[in-house]
Amino acid sequence: NTAQQLPLSELLRDFRRVSPAEIEGAWKRLYEHSGSHCAHQNPGDCPGESCDFKTRHKYVSLVTGSVLRFWDLIKECQRGETVKVYRVETKDGNRFVGAGIPGSRVEEVKEAIRG
């Protein structure tokens, strides 16, 4: 993210203060929409139905359990991307820690682990 500082004169010229009551409806619509829709401004930038860019809900495949012995395989399957570690609690209260795997690489990771 990059932030740009605007002079106060520009802020006052281009924006106006609104009350919570004025913005509440729009905020609620945006909040609901962001649960399952990406935030791409240009449809051409969106890779499609599975896009989760800036959504509140994401589907992540995890490798859990004794993953350290497979760490190099997991890193290899990420093809240069950073391996993200997730701590998750499911709706029914189960907790997991695991390495996140992009959906497009799940089968590749499974095969590598099965070896």
Side-chain angles (χ1 to χ4, degrees):
N1 288 340
T2 58
Q4 178 182 357
Q5 291 186 354
L6 297 176
L8 180 59
S9 60
E10 282 188 49
L11 286 173
L12 295 173
R13 182 191 73 216
D14 296 340
F15 300 94
R16 68 179 179 85
R17 183 179 298 260
V18 295
S19 70
E22 280 182 273
I23 200 66
E24 184 177 14
W27 185 89
K28 284 182 177 178
R29 284 189 301 277
L30 181 60
Y31 180 82
E32 289 302 318
H33 184 78
S34 70
S36 57
H37 294 83
C38 75
H40 282 105
Q41 298 292 323
N42 179 0
D45 293 338
C46 182
E49 192 174 308
S50 63
C51 182
D52 63 3
F53 174 68
K54 293 190 177 181
T55 59
R56 290 184 297 110
H57 302 144
K58 296 187 185 307
Y59 293 95
V60 178
S61 297
L62 297 178
V63 176
T64 62
S66 301
V67 299
L68 290 180
R69 64 182 166 167
F70 301 113
W71 197 255
D72 288 337
L73 289 171
I74 293 168
K75 282 176 40 179
E76 211 173 281
C77 292
Q78 298 287 31
R79 297 191 184 135
E81 294 177 28
T82 302
V83 177
K84 294 182 181 177
V85 176
Y86 292 88
R87 181 176 59 188
V88 178
E89 183 171 349
T90 63
K91 291 178 183 177
D92 57 357
N94 292 316
R95 293 180 180 175
F96 299 96
V97 174
I101 305 297
S104 62
R105 302 214 177 99
V106 169
E107 292 304 317
E108 183 180 349
V109 171
K110 282 182 181 179
E111 288 301 314
I113 289 172
R114 286 183 192 134

